[in-house]
Amino acid sequence: MDFKKTTLKNGTRVVFVPMKDTQTVTVEILVEAGSKYETKKNSGMSHFLEHMMFKGTKKRPDAKIIAEELDSVGGSYNAFTGKEQTGYWVKVPRRHLDMALDVVSDMYLHSLLEEKEIKKEKGVILQEKSMYQDTPMRYVWDVFEELLYGDQPAGWDIVGFEENIKNFSRKDFVEYMAKHYIPQSTVVVIAGNFDEKEVESKVNRYFQKTGSKEKTQKNKVVEKQEKPEIKINYKDTDQTHLLMGVRSADMFDPDRYATALLGTVLGGGMSSRMFSEIREKRGLTYYIDSASEQATDTGYLFAGAGVEHQNLTKTIKLILEEFQKTAEREIGEKEIQKAKEYIKGKTLMSLESSSAVANFFGNQELFRKEIKKPAELFNKIDKVASAEIRRVAKKIFQDKNLNLAIIGPHKNEKEIQKYLNF
C-alpha cells in the first residue's frame, strides 16, 4: 500500500493513499486538538465544536443543506473527538470526490458557529452525556481514566463539564478555533480511488487558508501512583462492569509492540487466555477482553468484563492470575505466533475500506509525523521475542501500577481492594 506526503505552503500536511481496487474515496481532516488540550474553563469545547461543524457554513447555511448534499450521493460522513485529536470525514463513490472535498473543507474552514445553533446544541450534548452515563459498558472507560489521571485533562470526560456546556458562547468557539484549528495542527488525508495529479491541485485550492501561528502544545500528563487504586461508580445495574489495568507503554515507547502482543495473548479473540479461562471454562462473563491503549504520552494495558454482581471478586482474582502468569513464565512460541498473526490479520481486514485507511495513515502523520506501511509495522511485531514480552509483563504487572474501575451496585470498596495485589 503506497502513499504520498506533501506539505502545503501554509503548513497543512496532506497524505494521499491510492486504492485502485475500491469504488470509494474518503476525505478526512484530522486536527491535533482534543480534550487533553483543554482547561477546566473550556473542558468540553473540542467535542462541542465537532458538533458545530455540521450546523452550517456561508455556502451551506444550515445543517439540512449539508446533510442533503451528502445523502444525495449515498455518502457516509461523521466526526469524532478524542483526548488528543478531532476528526471529520466524508466517504463517497469515487466520482463524487470533488463534492466531498468541497463539503468537508467548507465545514472545517468556514463554519458559521451561530449563537442560535450553539444554544440548541447544548441540550443535544447534555443528552449525549446522559446517554453515556446510562451505558455502563461504555461509561466504565471514563471512570477508569478518571481513576488513572485524576483532576487533569487526561482524566476528564471528553464531553466536558455540564456547567461549561451550558455556558459556552460563540466567542469561546472562535477563540478556541483560532488557537488550535490552524494549518500546523492539521492533516488532510485522501484515501481511495482517485487521480493523484488531479486531486493534488484540488487539495491545494481547497486548503489554502493561511496561518503562521505556532502550534499550541498540550500540558504533559502527570502520572503518580504508589499503590493499587479503586474507583466504584455506584449504580443499580443488572450487571457489574469492570475495567482493570496497569500503566504501560505510550506510542513512542520501544516496548509498545511487546505490550500490544501481551494484551493480545491475554484477551485478543475467543481463543485468548482470559476468554478461554474466564468465559469458556467457568462461564463467569459474557464479554471479556484485553488490549493496550497507547497515546502520545500515556498508555495502559487493560482487561474489561461484565459479570454477575456476586461473581465480581472471583473474576478480579482470575484476571490478576492471568496477568501474573505472563510475568512468571515465558509464553510459548506457538501462542506468540498466533497473537502476531491475530494482530496482522485484524489490521489487514480493517484496511479494506477507504475510511479506515484514511484514519490509519492520518493518525500516524498527525501524532508521529512519520508513516509506516502495514508491512513495516508487521516487521516490528514479528521481531518481538517471548523473553521481551515476559520482561514487559514483569515490569508493568506490579501492585503499584494496578487500577480497578467498577460500575454496579457495590459499596464495599475496602473489601474489594483487598484483592488488588499480585
Side-chain angles (χ1 to χ4, degrees):
M1 189 176 288
D2 293 321
F3 67 92
K4 178 182 177 181
K5 282 195 329 182
T6 187
T7 301
L8 305 184
K9 289 180 180 179
N10 64 8
T12 300
R13 287 167 282 159
V14 185
V15 182
F16 302 97
V17 192
M19 302 169 66
K20 298 303 181 185
D21 294 327
T22 181
Q23 293 303 308
T24 69
V25 63
T26 295
V27 180
E28 182 171 62
I29 300 177
L30 296 169
V31 57
E32 198 171 352
S35 60
K36 279 187 181 180
Y37 287 79
E38 298 169 348
T39 65
K40 270 202 170 166
K41 288 184 178 180
N42 71 357
S43 172
M45 173 58 68
S46 302
H47 172 258
F48 203 139
L49 181 56
E50 173 217 311
H51 280 234
M52 293 308 302
M53 290 298 195
F54 290 87
K55 299 303 178 183
T57 68
K58 292 177 182 178
K59 187 175 180 179
R60 300 169 174 87
D62 62 55
K64 188 176 181 182
I65 293 173
I66 294 172
E68 282 186 339
E69 189 167 355
L70 294 169
D71 288 345
S72 70
V73 299
S76 298
Y77 50 98
N78 213 329
F80 56 88
T81 306
K83 291 285 174 87
E84 301 191 1
Q85 93 276 44
T86 306
Y88 305 88
W89 61 270
V90 173
K91 179 180 179 181
V92 293
R94 56 172 299 201
R95 68 182 182 277
H96 297 296
L97 173 58
D98 278 1
M99 185 263 276
L101 271 170
D102 190 56
V103 172
V104 76
S105 63
D106 191 31
M107 289 165 49
Y108 189 71
L109 298 171
H110 307 297
S111 282
L112 294 172
L113 307 175
E114 292 181 302
E115 198 70 64
K116 65 177 183 178
E117 294 296 336
I118 293 169
K119 186 176 181 180
K120 281 194 294 185
E121 201 65 18
K122 289 178 180 182
V124 173
I125 291 175
L126 289 173
Q127 285 299 307
E128 182 181 1
K129 186 177 178 71
S130 297
M131 178 186 72
Y132 293 145
Q133 291 173 341
D134 284 342
T135 311
M137 188 176 176
R138 187 253 180 232
Y139 190 59
V140 71
W141 289 89
D142 291 334
V143 178
F144 180 72
E145 292 200 339
E146 182 183 355
L147 174 62
L148 272 179
Y149 306 119
D151 190 18
Q152 57 180 323
W156 299 338
D157 180 358
I158 291 173
V159 178
F161 301 128
E162 185 173 333
E163 184 179 352
N164 287 351
I165 296 166
K166 290 178 178 178
N167 292 327
F168 283 143
S169 68
R170 186 178 190 280
K171 179 174 176 286
D172 299 317
F173 289 96
V174 172
E175 288 178 352
Y176 185 85
M177 284 194 74
K179 188 175 182 181
H180 295 288
Y181 277 47
I182 60 174
Q184 289 78 6
S185 298
T186 303
V187 172
V188 178
V189 192
I190 316 293
N193 197 333
F194 57 87
D195 182 288
E196 292 180 55
K197 290 182 180 178
E198 185 180 325
V199 171
E200 198 165 344
S201 64
K202 289 175 180 177
V203 169
N204 270 284
R205 185 171 76 249
Y206 281 115
F207 295 95
Q208 61 184 330
K209 180 180 177 182
T210 59
S212 57
K213 272 187 180 178
E214 284 192 24
K215 189 170 76 67
T216 302
Q217 302 294 333
K218 67 183 187 303
N219 291 326
K220 187 171 175 61
V221 176
V222 177
E223 297 203 64
K224 185 179 180 181
Q225 184 174 355
E226 298 175 351
K227 61 183 179 62
E229 299 288 353
I230 182 172
K231 185 175 182 66
I232 299 176
N233 184 298
Y234 183 89
K235 195 174 184 68
D236 189 14
T237 56
D238 292 328
Q239 185 184 41
T240 294
H241 296 265
L242 67 99
L243 200 62
M244 180 153 49
V246 292
R247 301 171 194 272
S248 62
D250 63 33
M251 68 170 63
F252 297 103
D253 192 317
D255 286 338
R256 62 189 181 277
Y257 301 109
T259 306
L261 280 165
L262 176 58
T264 302
V265 166
L266 286 165
M270 295 173 67
S271 63
S272 64
R273 291 188 175 192
M274 287 192 185
F275 196 96
S276 298
E277 184 68 26
I278 300 173
R279 173 176 158 155
E280 293 301 303
K281 183 176 177 180
R282 301 171 188 266
L284 291 177
T285 178
Y286 171 69
Y287 79 89
I288 184 162
D289 59 2
S290 179
S292 64
E293 288 287 326
Q294 297 168 358
T296 59
D297 58 357
T298 58
Y300 55 82
L301 185 147
F302 70 89
V307 301
E308 290 186 39
H309 306 316
Q310 67 269 24
N311 289 330
L312 174 61
T313 54
K314 187 184 297 185
T315 304
I316 289 170
K317 287 193 288 184
L318 288 169
I319 290 173
L320 287 172
E321 284 177 14
E322 294 304 323
F323 282 170
Q324 184 73 25
K325 287 175 187 175
T326 62
E328 289 177 344
R329 54 184 177 271
E330 289 187 9
I331 301 163
E333 188 55 41
K334 183 179 178 181
E335 192 174 9
I336 291 177
Q337 191 59 38
K338 184 188 74 172
K340 290 176 179 179
E341 294 304 319
Y342 179 91
I343 291 175
K344 290 187 280 187
K346 288 292 185 183
T347 301
L348 288 174
M349 287 191 292
S350 73
L351 295 178
E352 290 187 342
S353 72
S354 61
S355 51
V357 168
N359 209 49
F360 177 82
F361 282 85
N363 274 310
Q364 288 191 72
E365 177 59 32
L366 188 73
F367 296 129
R368 303 181 63 84
K369 297 180 177 60
E370 176 189 32
I371 297 175
K372 291 189 183 297
K373 298 178 186 180
E376 293 176 278
L377 293 174
F378 297 162
N379 186 48
K380 297 284 188 182
I381 290 287
D382 282 334
K383 288 181 178 179
V384 177
S386 179
E388 189 177 351
I389 297 174
R390 186 186 178 199
R391 176 184 60 77
V392 168
K394 290 173 71 174
K395 175 183 173 182
I396 65 176
F397 291 142
Q398 298 184 41
D399 292 356
K400 65 178 183 178
N401 291 332
L402 192 57
N403 295 273
L404 173 63
I406 295 169
I407 295 181
H410 302 278
K411 293 182 177 179
N412 54 335
E413 183 175 309
K414 290 184 178 179
E415 183 64 29
I416 295 172
Q417 185 138 19
K418 293 178 183 177
Y419 296 95
L420 295 186
N421 55 75
F422 289 106

